[in-house]
Coordinates of all heavy atoms in Angstrom, one line a residue:
V1 N 0.3 -9.9 -6.9 CA -0.3 -9.2 -8.0 C -1.1 -8.0 -7.5 O -2.0 -8.1 -6.7 CB -1.2 -10.2 -8.8 CG1 -1.9 -9.4 -9.9 CG2 -0.4 -11.3 -9.3
D2 N -0.8 -6.8 -8.1 CA -1.6 -5.6 -7.7 C -2.8 -5.6 -8.6 O -2.8 -6.0 -9.8 CB -0.8 -4.4 -7.9 CG 0.5 -4.3 -7.0 OD1 0.5 -5.0 -6.0 OD2 1.4 -3.6 -7.3
T3 N -3.9 -5.1 -8.1 CA -5.2 -5.1 -8.8 C -5.8 -3.7 -8.7 O -5.9 -3.1 -7.7 CB -6.2 -6.1 -8.3 OG1 -5.5 -7.4 -8.2 CG2 -7.4 -6.2 -9.1
V4 N -6.3 -3.2 -9.9 CA -7.1 -1.9 -9.9 C -8.5 -2.3 -10.2 O -8.8 -3.0 -11.1 CB -6.5 -1.0 -11.0 CG1 -7.4 0.3 -11.1 CG2 -5.1 -0.7 -10.8
V5 N -9.4 -1.7 -9.4 CA -10.8 -2.0 -9.5 C -11.7 -0.7 -9.6 O -11.3 0.3 -8.9 CB -11.4 -2.9 -8.4 CG1 -10.7 -4.3 -8.4 CG2 -11.2 -2.3 -7.0
A6 N -12.7 -0.8 -10.3 CA -13.7 0.4 -10.4 C -14.7 0.2 -9.2 O -15.3 -0.9 -9.1 CB -14.4 0.4 -11.7
L7 N -14.8 1.2 -8.4 CA -15.7 1.2 -7.2 C -17.0 1.9 -7.5 O -17.9 1.8 -6.7 CB -15.0 1.8 -6.0 CG -13.7 1.1 -5.5 CD1 -13.1 1.9 -4.4 CD2 -14.0 -0.3 -5.1
G8 N -17.1 2.5 -8.6 CA -18.3 3.3 -9.0 C -18.2 4.7 -8.6 O -17.3 5.2 -7.9
S9 N -19.1 5.6 -9.2 CA -19.1 7.0 -8.9 C -17.8 7.7 -9.1 O -17.3 8.6 -8.4 CB -19.6 7.3 -7.5 OG -20.9 6.8 -7.3
G10 N -17.0 7.2 -10.2 CA -15.7 7.8 -10.5 C -14.6 7.4 -9.5 O -13.6 8.1 -9.5
R11 N -14.8 6.4 -8.7 CA -13.8 6.0 -7.7 C -13.1 4.7 -8.2 O -13.8 3.9 -8.8 CB -14.4 5.8 -6.4 CG -15.0 7.0 -5.8 CD -15.7 6.8 -4.5 NE -16.9 5.9 -4.7 CZ -17.4 5.1 -3.8 NH1 -16.9 5.0 -2.6 NH2 -18.4 4.3 -4.1
I12 N -11.9 4.6 -7.9 CA -11.1 3.4 -8.2 C -10.4 3.0 -6.9 O -10.2 3.8 -6.0 CB -10.1 3.5 -9.3 CG1 -9.0 4.5 -9.0 CG2 -10.8 3.9 -10.6 CD1 -7.8 4.5 -9.9
G13 N -10.1 1.7 -6.8 CA -9.3 1.2 -5.7 C -8.1 0.4 -6.3 O -8.2 -0.1 -7.4
V14 N -7.1 0.4 -5.6 CA -5.9 -0.4 -5.9 C -5.5 -1.3 -4.8 O -5.3 -0.8 -3.7 CB -4.7 0.6 -6.2 CG1 -3.5 -0.2 -6.6 CG2 -5.0 1.6 -7.3
V15 N -5.5 -2.6 -5.1 CA -5.2 -3.6 -4.0 C -3.7 -3.9 -4.3 O -3.3 -4.4 -5.3 CB -6.0 -4.9 -4.2 CG1 -5.6 -5.9 -3.1 CG2 -7.5 -4.5 -4.0
L16 N -2.9 -3.7 -3.2 CA -1.4 -3.9 -3.3 C -1.2 -5.1 -2.4 O -0.9 -5.0 -1.2 CB -0.7 -2.7 -2.8 CG -1.0 -1.4 -3.5 CD1 -0.3 -0.2 -2.8 CD2 -0.5 -1.4 -5.0
Q17 N -1.2 -6.3 -3.0 CA -1.1 -7.5 -2.2 C 0.3 -7.5 -1.5 O 1.3 -7.3 -2.2 CB -1.2 -8.7 -3.1 CG -1.2 -10.0 -2.4 CD -1.6 -11.2 -3.3 OE1 -1.9 -11.0 -4.4 NE2 -1.5 -12.4 -2.8
G18 N 0.3 -7.8 -0.2 CA 1.6 -7.9 0.5 C 2.2 -6.6 0.9 O 3.3 -6.5 1.4
S19 N 1.5 -5.5 0.7 CA 2.0 -4.2 1.1 C 1.4 -3.7 2.4 O 0.3 -4.1 2.8 CB 1.6 -3.1 0.0 OG 2.2 -3.5 -1.2
G20 N 2.1 -2.8 3.0 CA 1.7 -2.2 4.3 C 1.3 -0.8 4.1 O 1.3 -0.3 3.0
P21 N 1.1 -0.1 5.2 CA 0.8 1.3 5.2 C 1.8 2.2 4.5 O 1.4 3.1 3.7 CB 0.7 1.7 6.7 CG 0.4 0.5 7.4 CD 1.1 -0.6 6.6
R22 N 3.1 2.0 4.7 CA 4.1 2.8 4.0 C 4.0 2.6 2.5 O 4.1 3.6 1.8 CB 5.5 2.4 4.5 CG 6.6 3.3 4.0 CD 7.9 2.9 4.5 NE 8.2 1.5 4.1 CZ 9.2 1.1 3.4 NH1 10.1 2.0 3.0 NH2 9.3 -0.1 3.0
E23 N 3.9 1.4 2.0 CA 3.9 1.1 0.6 C 2.6 1.7 0.0 O 2.6 2.3 -1.1 CB 4.0 -0.4 0.3 CG 5.3 -1.0 0.6 CD 5.4 -1.5 2.0 OE1 4.5 -1.2 2.9 OE2 6.4 -2.1 2.3
A24 N 1.5 1.6 0.7 CA 0.2 2.2 0.2 C 0.4 3.7 0.1 O -0.1 4.3 -0.9 CB -0.9 1.8 1.2
S25 N 1.0 4.4 1.1 CA 1.1 5.8 1.0 C 2.1 6.2 -0.1 O 1.8 7.2 -0.8 CB 1.7 6.3 2.4 OG 1.9 7.7 2.4
E26 N 3.1 5.5 -0.3 CA 4.1 5.8 -1.4 C 3.4 5.6 -2.7 O 3.6 6.4 -3.7 CB 5.3 4.9 -1.3 CG 6.2 5.2 -0.1 CD 7.3 4.2 0.1 OE1 7.3 3.2 -0.6 OE2 8.2 4.4 1.0
T27 N 2.6 4.6 -2.9 CA 1.9 4.3 -4.1 C 0.9 5.4 -4.4 O 0.7 5.9 -5.5 CB 1.2 3.0 -4.1 OG1 2.2 1.9 -4.0 CG2 0.4 2.7 -5.4
A28 N 0.1 5.8 -3.3 CA -0.8 6.9 -3.5 C -0.1 8.2 -3.9 O -0.6 8.9 -4.8 CB -1.6 7.2 -2.2
G29 N 1.1 8.5 -3.4 CA 1.8 9.6 -3.8 C 2.2 9.6 -5.3 O 2.1 10.6 -6.0
R30 N 2.6 8.4 -5.7 CA 3.0 8.3 -7.2 C 1.8 8.4 -8.1 O 1.9 9.1 -9.1 CB 3.7 6.9 -7.4 CG 5.1 6.8 -6.9 CD 5.8 5.6 -7.4 NE 5.1 4.3 -7.1 CZ 5.3 3.6 -5.9 NH1 6.1 4.1 -5.0 NH2 4.6 2.5 -5.8
V31 N 0.6 7.9 -7.7 CA -0.6 8.0 -8.5 C -1.0 9.5 -8.5 O -1.3 10.0 -9.6 CB -1.7 7.1 -7.9 CG1 -3.1 7.5 -8.5 CG2 -1.4 5.6 -8.1
Q32 N -1.0 10.1 -7.4 CA -1.3 11.6 -7.4 C -0.4 12.4 -8.3 O -0.9 13.2 -9.0 CB -1.3 12.1 -5.9 CG -1.7 13.5 -5.8 CD -1.8 14.0 -4.4 OE1 -1.2 13.4 -3.5 NE2 -2.6 15.1 -4.2
H33 N 0.9 12.1 -8.2 CA 1.8 12.9 -9.0 C 1.5 12.7 -10.5 O 1.5 13.6 -11.3 CB 3.2 12.4 -8.7 CG 4.3 13.0 -9.6 ND1 4.7 14.3 -9.4 CD2 5.0 12.5 -10.7 CE1 5.6 14.6 -10.4 NE2 5.8 13.5 -11.1
R34 N 1.2 11.4 -10.9 CA 0.9 11.1 -12.3 C -0.4 11.8 -12.8 O -0.5 12.3 -13.9 CB 0.9 9.6 -12.6 CG 2.2 8.9 -12.4 CD 3.1 9.2 -13.5 NE 4.4 8.6 -13.3 CZ 4.9 7.6 -14.1 NH1 4.2 7.2 -15.1 NH2 6.1 7.1 -13.9
L35 N -1.4 11.7 -11.9 CA -2.7 12.3 -12.3 C -2.6 13.8 -12.4 O -3.2 14.4 -13.3 CB -3.7 11.9 -11.3 CG -4.2 10.5 -11.3 CD1 -5.2 10.2 -10.2 CD2 -4.7 10.1 -12.6
Q36 N -1.8 14.5 -11.5 CA -1.6 15.9 -11.6 C -0.9 16.3 -12.9 O -1.2 17.4 -13.4 CB -0.8 16.4 -10.4 CG -1.6 16.4 -9.1 CD -0.8 16.8 -7.9 OE1 0.5 16.6 -7.9 NE2 -1.4 17.2 -6.9
R37 N -0.1 15.5 -13.4 CA 0.6 15.8 -14.6 C -0.2 15.4 -15.9 O 0.2 15.8 -17.0 CB 2.0 15.1 -14.6 CG 2.9 15.5 -13.6 CD 4.2 14.8 -13.5 NE 4.8 14.8 -14.8 CZ 5.9 15.5 -15.2 NH1 6.4 16.3 -14.3 NH2 6.4 15.4 -16.4
S38 N -1.2 14.7 -15.7 CA -2.0 14.2 -16.9 C -3.0 15.2 -17.4 O -3.7 15.9 -16.6 CB -2.8 12.9 -16.4 OG -3.7 12.6 -17.4
S39 N -3.0 15.4 -18.7 CA -4.0 16.3 -19.3 C -5.4 15.8 -19.2 O -6.4 16.5 -19.4 CB -3.6 16.7 -20.7 OG -3.6 15.5 -21.5
L40 N -5.5 14.5 -19.0 CA -6.8 13.8 -18.9 C -7.7 14.4 -17.8 O -8.9 14.5 -18.0 CB -6.7 12.3 -18.8 CG -7.9 11.5 -18.7 CD1 -8.7 11.5 -20.0 CD2 -7.6 10.0 -18.4
F41 N -7.1 14.8 -16.7 CA -7.8 15.3 -15.6 C -7.6 16.8 -15.4 O -7.9 17.3 -14.3 CB -7.3 14.5 -14.3 CG -7.7 13.1 -14.3 CD1 -6.7 12.1 -14.7 CD2 -9.0 12.6 -14.1 CE1 -7.0 10.8 -14.7 CE2 -9.3 11.3 -14.1 CZ -8.3 10.4 -14.4
H42 N -7.2 17.5 -16.4 CA -7.0 18.9 -16.3 C -8.2 19.6 -15.9 O -9.3 19.5 -16.5 CB -6.5 19.5 -17.6 CG -6.1 20.9 -17.6 ND1 -5.1 21.4 -16.9 CD2 -6.8 22.0 -18.1 CE1 -5.1 22.7 -17.0 NE2 -6.1 23.1 -17.8
G43 N -8.2 20.4 -14.8 CA -9.3 21.2 -14.3 C -10.3 20.4 -13.5 O -11.3 20.9 -13.0
M44 N -10.0 19.1 -13.2 CA -10.9 18.3 -12.4 C -10.2 18.1 -11.0 O -9.0 18.1 -10.9 CB -11.1 16.9 -13.0 CG -11.8 17.0 -14.3 SD -11.9 15.3 -15.1 CE -13.0 14.5 -14.0
A45 N -11.1 18.1 -10.0 CA -10.6 17.8 -8.6 C -10.3 16.3 -8.5 O -11.2 15.5 -8.8 CB -11.6 18.2 -7.6
V46 N -9.2 15.9 -8.1 CA -8.8 14.5 -7.9 C -8.3 14.4 -6.5 O -7.4 15.1 -6.1 CB -7.7 14.1 -8.9 CG1 -7.3 12.6 -8.6 CG2 -8.2 14.2 -10.3
T47 N -8.9 13.5 -5.7 CA -8.5 13.2 -4.4 C -7.8 11.8 -4.3 O -8.4 10.9 -4.8 CB -9.7 13.3 -3.4 OG1 -10.3 14.6 -3.5 CG2 -9.2 13.1 -2.0
I48 N -6.7 11.8 -3.7 CA -6.0 10.5 -3.5 C -5.8 10.3 -2.0 O -5.4 11.2 -1.3 CB -4.6 10.5 -4.2 CG1 -4.7 10.9 -5.6 CG2 -3.8 9.2 -4.0 CD1 -5.3 9.9 -6.5
A49 N -6.0 9.1 -1.6 CA -5.8 8.7 -0.2 C -5.4 7.3 -0.1 O -5.5 6.5 -1.0 CB -7.2 8.9 0.6
A50 N -4.8 6.9 1.0 CA -4.2 5.5 1.2 C -4.8 5.0 2.5 O -5.0 5.7 3.5 CB -2.7 5.6 1.3
A51 N -5.1 3.7 2.4 CA -5.5 2.9 3.6 C -4.9 1.5 3.5 O -4.6 1.1 2.4 CB -7.1 2.8 3.6
S52 N -4.8 0.9 4.6 CA -4.4 -0.5 4.6 C -5.3 -1.3 5.4 O -5.9 -0.9 6.4 CB -2.9 -0.6 5.1 OG -2.8 -0.2 6.4
G53 N -5.3 -2.6 5.1 CA -6.1 -3.6 5.9 C -5.7 -5.0 5.4 O -4.9 -5.1 4.5
T54 N -6.2 -5.9 6.1 CA -5.9 -7.3 5.8 C -7.2 -8.0 5.6 O -8.2 -7.7 6.2 CB -5.2 -8.0 7.0 OG1 -4.6 -7.0 7.8 CG2 -4.2 -8.9 6.5
G55 N -7.2 -8.9 4.7 CA -8.4 -9.7 4.4 C -8.2 -10.9 3.6 O -7.2 -11.0 2.9
Q56 N -9.2 -11.8 3.6 CA -9.1 -13.0 2.8 C -9.6 -12.8 1.4 O -9.3 -13.5 0.5 CB -10.0 -14.1 3.5 CG -9.5 -14.4 4.9 CD -8.2 -15.1 4.9 OE1 -7.9 -15.9 4.0 NE2 -7.3 -14.8 5.8
H57 N -10.4 -11.8 1.2 CA -11.0 -11.5 -0.1 C -11.3 -10.0 -0.3 O -11.1 -9.3 0.6 CB -12.2 -12.4 -0.4 CG -13.2 -12.3 0.7 ND1 -14.1 -11.2 0.8 CD2 -13.6 -13.1 1.7 CE1 -14.9 -11.3 1.9 NE2 -14.6 -12.5 2.4
G58 N -11.7 -9.7 -1.5 CA -11.9 -8.3 -1.8 C -12.9 -7.5 -0.9 O -12.6 -6.4 -0.6
Q59 N -14.0 -8.2 -0.5 CA -15.0 -7.5 0.3 C -14.3 -7.1 1.7 O -14.6 -6.1 2.2 CB -16.2 -8.4 0.5 CG -17.1 -8.4 -0.7 CD -17.6 -7.0 -1.1 OE1 -17.0 -6.3 -1.8 NE2 -18.8 -6.7 -0.5
T60 N -13.5 -8.0 2.2 CA -12.9 -7.7 3.5 C -11.9 -6.6 3.4 O -11.9 -5.7 4.2 CB -12.2 -9.0 4.0 OG1 -13.1 -10.1 4.1 CG2 -11.6 -8.8 5.4
L61 N -11.2 -6.5 2.3 CA -10.2 -5.4 2.1 C -11.0 -4.1 1.8 O -10.6 -3.1 2.4 CB -9.3 -5.8 0.9 CG -8.3 -6.9 1.1 CD1 -7.7 -7.2 -0.2 CD2 -7.3 -6.4 2.1
L62 N -12.1 -4.2 1.1 CA -12.8 -2.9 0.9 C -13.4 -2.4 2.2 O -13.4 -1.2 2.4 CB -14.0 -3.2 -0.1 CG -14.9 -2.0 -0.5 CD1 -14.0 -0.9 -1.0 CD2 -15.9 -2.5 -1.5
K63 N -13.9 -3.3 3.0 CA -14.4 -2.9 4.3 C -13.3 -2.3 5.2 O -13.5 -1.2 5.8 CB -15.0 -4.1 5.1 CG -15.6 -3.7 6.4 CD -16.4 -4.8 7.0 CE -17.0 -4.3 8.3 NZ -17.8 -5.4 9.0
A64 N -12.1 -2.9 5.1 CA -10.9 -2.3 5.9 C -10.6 -0.9 5.4 O -10.4 0.0 6.2 CB -9.7 -3.2 5.8
A65 N -10.6 -0.7 4.1 CA -10.3 0.6 3.5 C -11.4 1.6 3.9 O -11.1 2.7 4.2 CB -10.1 0.5 2.0
S66 N -12.7 1.1 3.8 CA -13.8 2.0 4.1 C -13.8 2.5 5.5 O -14.1 3.6 5.9 CB -15.1 1.3 3.8 OG -15.2 1.1 2.4
T67 N -13.3 1.6 6.4 CA -13.2 2.0 7.8 C -12.1 3.0 8.1 O -12.3 4.0 8.8 CB -12.9 0.7 8.7 OG1 -14.0 -0.2 8.5 CG2 -12.8 1.0 10.2
S68 N -11.0 2.9 7.3 CA -9.9 3.8 7.5 C -10.2 5.1 6.8 O -9.8 6.2 7.3 CB -8.6 3.2 6.8 OG -8.2 2.1 7.5
L69 N -10.9 5.1 5.7 CA -11.2 6.2 4.9 C -12.7 6.2 4.6 O -13.2 5.7 3.6 CB -10.5 6.2 3.6 CG -8.9 6.2 3.7 CD1 -8.3 5.9 2.3 CD2 -8.5 7.5 4.2
P70 N -13.5 6.8 5.4 CA -15.0 6.8 5.3 C -15.5 7.2 3.9 O -16.5 6.7 3.4 CB -15.5 7.7 6.4 CG -14.5 7.7 7.4 CD -13.2 7.6 6.6
D71 N -14.8 8.1 3.2 CA -15.3 8.5 1.9 C -15.0 7.5 0.8 O -15.4 7.7 -0.3 CB -14.6 9.8 1.5 CG -15.1 11.0 2.4 OD1 -16.2 10.9 2.9 OD2 -14.4 12.0 2.5
C72 N -14.3 6.4 1.1 CA -14.0 5.3 0.1 C -15.2 4.5 -0.2 O -15.3 3.9 -1.3 CB -12.9 4.4 0.6 SG -11.3 5.1 0.4
G73 N -16.1 4.2 0.7 CA -17.1 3.3 0.5 C -18.5 3.6 0.8 O -19.4 3.1 0.5

């Protein structure tokens, strides 16, 4: 089950259970494409990045993503 969570300060995270770096990168690309086409974010800067990690629970996954992408957390 994939999960979208609000991380605060206008940031969101997407947990892709059972996915690896390639799937995370592909998903980030699809999200970026959709956001660029959306009028909701017209004129706003939107940054999309992908990270992967393994963990037993959300905090471990968030830490793995934060380590890979310092601006995430």
Side-chain angles (χ1 to χ4, degrees):
V1 173
D2 298 340
T3 306
V4 178
V5 295
L7 299 174
S9 300
R11 297 176 297 154
I12 63 165
V14 181
V15 178
L16 306 171
Q17 186 173 354
S19 298
R22 185 180 61 120
E23 292 88 352
S25 180
E26 290 171 355
T27 299
R30 287 192 303 273
V31 169
Q32 183 173 20
H33 176 76
R34 295 287 176 116
L35 289 177
Q36 286 175 336
R37 295 177 54 104
S38 171
S39 62
L40 181 64
F41 295 100
H42 183 70
M44 296 175 67
V46 177
T47 303
I48 305 292
S52 66
T54 339
Q56 298 294 322
H57 52 76
Q59 286 298 90
T60 306
L61 290 171
L62 181 57
K63 184 175 181 177
S66 295
T67 300
S68 297
L69 302 167
D71 291 337
C72 280

